[in-house]
Amino acid sequence: MDTAADNRLARRLHRLLHRTGRDYSAGHDRPLAGYLAAMAGFAAYTTVWATAVRLRGRPLPDRPEPWDVVLTSVATFRLSRLLTKASVTSPLRAPFTTYVAPQGPAELHEEAQPEDGKHTVGELATCPFCMSVWVASTLTAGQLLWPRATRTAMGALAALAGADTMQLAYSALIEKTTGE
């Protein structure tokens, strides 16, 4: 193709994407381009992990062990909340978010900054459900590449989740018995 044909094709594609985004959003601000970039980033991220696992030459298990699924679930929950909600990790989110208020014990409510590039990263950085996809993928790859170290780290995260549960249960019990 010549340059003029390339330019026409690029303009058509741009118009199609713009029209699709406008029709989809129905008047709401939906950063589809940012979401598309995040999906591409996740695809690249998992491709790198998959390549590393393949190059390592370790065979994949036929199926995950139930204990590993439970441990990965609990560790994913805890690390996702730590990354997306904890006060202590707010400096990691600050470039992409705005502080709103406290939210639960040692957690913050933050909102994504409105700028296009920052908005998508801010949504990912404040959403434990969104972050859990990245964390679970990382922990799964870690189990395949460095199983002992990863299980040790996941055990620590599971212990934190257990301790958090006990802290909340204790606080609820105190509140129930003293009315405070």
Side-chain angles (χ1 to χ4, degrees), residues 1-167:
M1 284 182 140
D2 61 44
T3 305
D6 288 344
N7 288 340
R8 283 193 302 273
L9 180 60
R11 282 193 303 273
R12 278 191 206 147
L13 183 58
H14 184 267
R15 282 193 305 266
L16 173 67
L17 292 173
H18 182 72
R19 186 173 52 251
T20 300
R22 185 190 64 233
D23 292 346
Y24 169 79
S25 67
H28 299 277
D29 185 23
R30 301 303 310 147
L32 292 182
Y35 295 154
L36 187 58
M39 289 174 22
F42 182 76
Y45 181 71
T46 55
T47 298
V48 168
W49 275 119
T51 302
V53 168
R54 184 171 174 85
L55 290 174
R56 184 79 184 256
R58 285 202 161 148
L60 294 176
D62 290 333
R63 64 184 175 279
E65 294 296 326
W67 173 246
D68 284 337
V69 173
V70 171
L71 186 60
T72 303
S73 298
V74 175
T76 296
F77 164 79
R78 188 63 197 105
L79 186 54
S80 295
R81 289 209 71 86
L82 179 67
L83 292 172
T84 61
K85 296 293 182 187
S87 300
V88 72
T89 56
S90 61
L92 301 175
R93 298 183 303 273
F96 310 101
T97 62
T98 302
Y99 171 80
V100 176
Q103 175 185 315
E107 290 192 344
L108 303 177
H109 175 73
E110 298 163 321
E111 292 182 356
Q113 290 185 12
E115 294 91 15
D116 284 339
K118 290 184 176 186
H119 184 81
T120 302
V121 176
E123 280 192 34
L124 175 63
T126 60
C127 174
F129 299 98
C130 306
M131 183 63 70
S132 67
V133 175
W134 292 75
V135 169
S137 298
T138 302
L139 294 176
T140 300
Q143 289 179 75
L144 295 171
L145 292 169
W146 310 286
R148 290 178 67 187
T150 303
R151 283 192 185 97
T152 300
M154 290 191 318
L157 289 165
L160 285 172
D164 290 349
T165 301
M166 288 187 278
Q167 295 287 358

